[in-house]
Amino acid sequence: LALKSGLSDIQQLVILDTLQKEKVVLTLGIFNDAKMLSVSGSKVVWAEFNYDKRWTERDYSVIKLYDFNAKKLKSITHKSKLTSPSLSTDGTKICAIENSVENKNSLVILGINGLEIKRIQNIENALYINPRWAENDEIYVVKLLKGLKTIVKIEVESGHETELFAPLNENIAHPVKYGNYVLYNSGITGIDNIFAFDVVSKKKFQVTNRKFGAFN
């Protein structure tokens, strides 16, 4: 599953097979582009911009869900300020970033019905970016504070946060947990490529070395 967009194309969800054939699943609204989709089982979630019908300068970022089995699209939230939604591995919960009008940054846990289950407080008011759910109710997310970035593991039940490595002046993004590794984007070499952090040995590795970059 991928997001397809271009200078003259309306953004669409498409499925690509091993023969490079493409099937359009759904045409989207105004995509709140965080360069990510989250899929679990038959469900996919993303964020779209929405606007107040009366006050045109007031906008929202709402979470949309599409179920491939039911072939149904629905809005999970309304008049919200939520971005970068990620489905839990069992497809029953969604985590998302909220940036409130008071400039408060939070990690919000929602049920699949859109009701808020939990709000993880961010005492430092750091900016969270690209959260991604992993097994054992853990969320991996980029944390930006005072111009420096790191990847943190957040335990949903306790809200406890653990930095994987010391904050760096490095443009890292899109952490994804895979086995003992957390894969992520980095432009540290001057060209964006995929890197991995081993949570056991605490070592970093470069995974790809593409001439024009590899992402997400």
Side-chain angles (χ1 to χ4, degrees):
L1 180 69
L3 173 70
K4 180 184 179 182
S5 62
L7 294 177
S8 60
D9 294 327
I10 297 174
Q11 290 168 319
Q12 298 173 317
L13 291 182
V14 298
I15 291 178
L16 305 173
D17 65 18
T18 55
L19 300 177
Q20 299 186 37
K21 292 182 180 179
E22 179 184 298
K23 177 184 177 182
V24 176
V25 177
L26 187 70
T27 299
L28 305 182
I30 306 173
F31 192 70
N32 187 352
D33 191 4
K35 298 291 191 300
M36 67 179 286
L37 293 170
S38 178
V39 182
S40 180
S42 65
K43 301 178 183 71
V44 56
V45 293
W46 66 94
E48 287 186 8
F49 287 113
N50 208 334
Y51 296 90
D52 193 294
K53 292 182 179 179
R54 181 176 182 184
W55 307 106
T56 55
E57 296 301 316
R58 178 186 293 167
D59 62 1
Y60 305 102
S61 181
V62 300
I63 297 175
K64 295 290 186 80
L65 180 145
Y66 182 76
D67 190 315
F68 292 92
N69 290 343
K71 292 182 170 56
K72 288 186 177 180
L73 169 69
K74 63 179 180 179
S75 293
I76 298 298
T77 65
H78 306 273
K79 295 186 177 181
S80 59
K81 292 282 188 179
L82 297 168
T83 59
S84 302
S86 175
L87 280 162
S88 60
T89 53
D90 61 5
T92 63
K93 298 185 290 292
I94 299 169
C95 71
I97 303 301
E98 183 186 75
N99 304 111
S100 72
V101 293
E102 294 84 14
N103 195 33
K104 300 294 184 182
N105 302 311
S106 305
L107 183 65
V108 181
I109 311 299
L110 308 168
I112 207 70
N113 56 5
L115 297 179
E116 184 173 320
I117 297 173
K118 187 167 188 175
R119 180 177 294 263
I120 297 175
Q121 298 298 326
N122 183 352
I123 298 174
E124 300 168 300
N125 201 35
L127 183 61
Y128 287 144
I129 308 168
N130 307 136
R132 186 68 76 168
W133 218 297
E135 295 178 351
N136 303 320
D137 262 1
E138 296 174 348
I139 294 170
Y140 289 80
V141 60
V142 173
K143 179 180 178 181
L144 172 62
L145 182 64
K146 297 179 181 179
L148 302 177
K149 283 184 175 182
T150 184
I151 297 172
V152 297
K153 177 183 74 173
I154 297 176
E155 298 168 20
V156 174
E157 185 174 347
S158 66
H160 183 260
E161 178 184 294
T162 304
E163 291 185 352
L164 299 194
F165 46 83
L168 303 166
N169 185 17
E170 183 178 338
N171 190 23
I172 56 180
H174 297 283
V176 177
K177 182 71 160 42
Y178 179 73
N180 289 333
Y181 300 96
V182 177
L183 304 170
Y184 61 96
N185 294 5
S186 173
I188 189 66
T189 65
I191 300 173
D192 280 276
N193 270 290
I194 308 299
F195 287 74
F197 178 81
D198 188 327
V199 297
V200 177
S201 69
K202 311 300 182 185
K203 293 181 178 180
K204 297 178 183 178
F205 305 90
Q206 184 168 344
V207 179
T208 65
N209 186 21
R210 310 303 296 179
K211 184 183 297 185
F212 300 108
F215 312 87
N216 308 346

